[in-house]
PDB file of all heavy atoms in Angstrom:
ATOM      1  N   PHE A 701      75.494  50.127  38.359  1.00  0.00           N
ATOM      2  CA  PHE A 701      75.767  51.563  38.402  1.00  0.00           C
ATOM      3  C   PHE A 701      76.987  51.874  39.259  1.00  0.00           C
ATOM      4  O   PHE A 701      77.646  52.894  39.063  1.00  0.00           O
ATOM      5  CB  PHE A 701      74.533  52.340  38.874  1.00  0.00           C
ATOM      6  CG  PHE A 701      74.208  52.214  40.330  1.00  0.00           C
ATOM      7  CD1 PHE A 701      74.730  53.103  41.256  1.00  0.00           C
ATOM      8  CD2 PHE A 701      73.350  51.222  40.775  1.00  0.00           C
ATOM      9  CE1 PHE A 701      74.405  52.998  42.591  1.00  0.00           C
ATOM     10  CE2 PHE A 701      73.020  51.125  42.109  1.00  0.00           C
ATOM     11  CZ  PHE A 701      73.562  52.006  43.033  1.00  0.00           C
ATOM     12  N   SER A 702      77.343  51.013  40.210  1.00  0.00           N
ATOM     13  CA  SER A 702      78.534  51.262  41.029  1.00  0.00           C
ATOM     14  C   SER A 702      79.799  51.155  40.188  1.00  0.00           C
ATOM     15  O   SER A 702      80.691  52.016  40.268  1.00  0.00           O
ATOM     16  CB  SER A 702      78.584  50.287  42.194  1.00  0.00           C
ATOM     17  OG  SER A 702      78.567  48.949  41.735  1.00  0.00           O
ATOM     18  N   SER A 703      79.898  50.104  39.361  1.00  0.00           N
ATOM     19  CA  SER A 703      81.090  49.971  38.503  1.00  0.00           C
ATOM     20  C   SER A 703      81.071  51.000  37.374  1.00  0.00           C
ATOM     21  O   SER A 703      82.120  51.528  36.988  1.00  0.00           O
ATOM     22  CB  SER A 703      81.159  48.555  37.925  1.00  0.00           C
ATOM     23  OG  SER A 703      80.021  48.267  37.142  1.00  0.00           O
ATOM     24  N   GLN A 704      79.894  51.303  36.844  1.00  0.00           N
ATOM     25  CA  GLN A 704      79.800  52.298  35.774  1.00  0.00           C
ATOM     26  C   GLN A 704      80.206  53.685  36.274  1.00  0.00           C
ATOM     27  O   GLN A 704      80.803  54.468  35.540  1.00  0.00           O
ATOM     28  CB  GLN A 704      78.382  52.338  35.218  1.00  0.00           C
ATOM     29  CG  GLN A 704      77.960  51.090  34.466  1.00  0.00           C
ATOM     30  CD  GLN A 704      78.650  50.961  33.117  1.00  0.00           C
ATOM     31  OE1 GLN A 704      79.859  50.733  33.050  1.00  0.00           O
ATOM     32  NE2 GLN A 704      77.904  51.109  32.049  1.00  0.00           N
ATOM     33  N   ASN A 705      79.889  53.986  37.530  1.00  0.00           N
ATOM     34  CA  ASN A 705      80.295  55.272  38.085  1.00  0.00           C
ATOM     35  C   ASN A 705      81.803  55.386  38.220  1.00  0.00           C
ATOM     36  O   ASN A 705      82.377  56.465  38.050  1.00  0.00           O
ATOM     37  CB  ASN A 705      79.627  55.485  39.446  1.00  0.00           C
ATOM     38  CG  ASN A 705      78.290  56.189  39.330  1.00  0.00           C
ATOM     39  OD1 ASN A 705      78.190  57.274  38.777  1.00  0.00           O
ATOM     40  ND2 ASN A 705      77.243  55.556  39.836  1.00  0.00           N
ATOM     41  N   GLN A 706      82.452  54.275  38.522  1.00  0.00           N
ATOM     42  CA  GLN A 706      83.917  54.299  38.585  1.00  0.00           C
ATOM     43  C   GLN A 706      84.505  54.555  37.199  1.00  0.00           C
ATOM     44  O   GLN A 706      85.456  55.332  37.041  1.00  0.00           O
ATOM     45  CB  GLN A 706      84.444  52.972  39.146  1.00  0.00           C
ATOM     46  CG  GLN A 706      84.022  52.673  40.576  1.00  0.00           C
ATOM     47  CD  GLN A 706      84.585  53.667  41.581  1.00  0.00           C
ATOM     48  OE1 GLN A 706      85.493  54.449  41.269  1.00  0.00           O
ATOM     49  NE2 GLN A 706      84.042  53.666  42.782  1.00  0.00           N
ATOM     50  N   LEU A 707      83.938  53.896  36.188  1.00  0.00           N
ATOM     51  CA  LEU A 707      84.400  54.143  34.819  1.00  0.00           C
ATOM     52  C   LEU A 707      84.138  55.586  34.402  1.00  0.00           C
ATOM     53  O   LEU A 707      84.937  56.199  33.684  1.00  0.00           O
ATOM     54  CB  LEU A 707      83.691  53.192  33.855  1.00  0.00           C
ATOM     55  CG  LEU A 707      84.107  51.717  33.908  1.00  0.00           C
ATOM     56  CD1 LEU A 707      83.254  50.895  32.963  1.00  0.00           C
ATOM     57  CD2 LEU A 707      85.574  51.576  33.548  1.00  0.00           C
ATOM     58  N   LEU A 708      83.013  56.124  34.848  1.00  0.00           N
ATOM     59  CA  LEU A 708      82.679  57.505  34.534  1.00  0.00           C
ATOM     60  C   LEU A 708      83.747  58.454  35.077  1.00  0.00           C
ATOM     61  O   LEU A 708      84.165  59.405  34.399  1.00  0.00           O
ATOM     62  CB  LEU A 708      81.309  57.838  35.124  1.00  0.00           C
ATOM     63  CG  LEU A 708      80.704  59.192  34.767  1.00  0.00           C
ATOM     64  CD1 LEU A 708      80.377  59.267  33.285  1.00  0.00           C
ATOM     65  CD2 LEU A 708      79.450  59.438  35.594  1.00  0.00           C
ATOM     66  N   ARG A 709      84.204  58.199  36.267  1.00  0.00           N
ATOM     67  CA  ARG A 709      85.216  59.050  36.882  1.00  0.00           C
ATOM     68  C   ARG A 709      86.570  58.915  36.196  1.00  0.00           C
ATOM     69  O   ARG A 709      87.307  59.894  36.031  1.00  0.00           O
ATOM     70  CB  ARG A 709      85.322  58.733  38.376  1.00  0.00           C
ATOM     71  CG  ARG A 709      84.186  59.369  39.172  1.00  0.00           C
ATOM     72  CD  ARG A 709      83.896  58.643  40.471  1.00  0.00           C
ATOM     73  NE  ARG A 709      82.877  59.338  41.249  1.00  0.00           N
ATOM     74  CZ  ARG A 709      81.588  59.350  40.975  1.00  0.00           C
ATOM     75  NH1 ARG A 709      81.139  58.692  39.931  1.00  0.00           N
ATOM     76  NH2 ARG A 709      80.722  60.004  41.732  1.00  0.00           N
TER      77      ARG A 709
END
Side-chain angles (χ1 to χ4, degrees):
F701 73 90
S702 57
S703 60
Q704 292 288 69
N705 270 304
Q706 297 296 346
L707 288 176
L708 187 66
R709 282 155 176 75

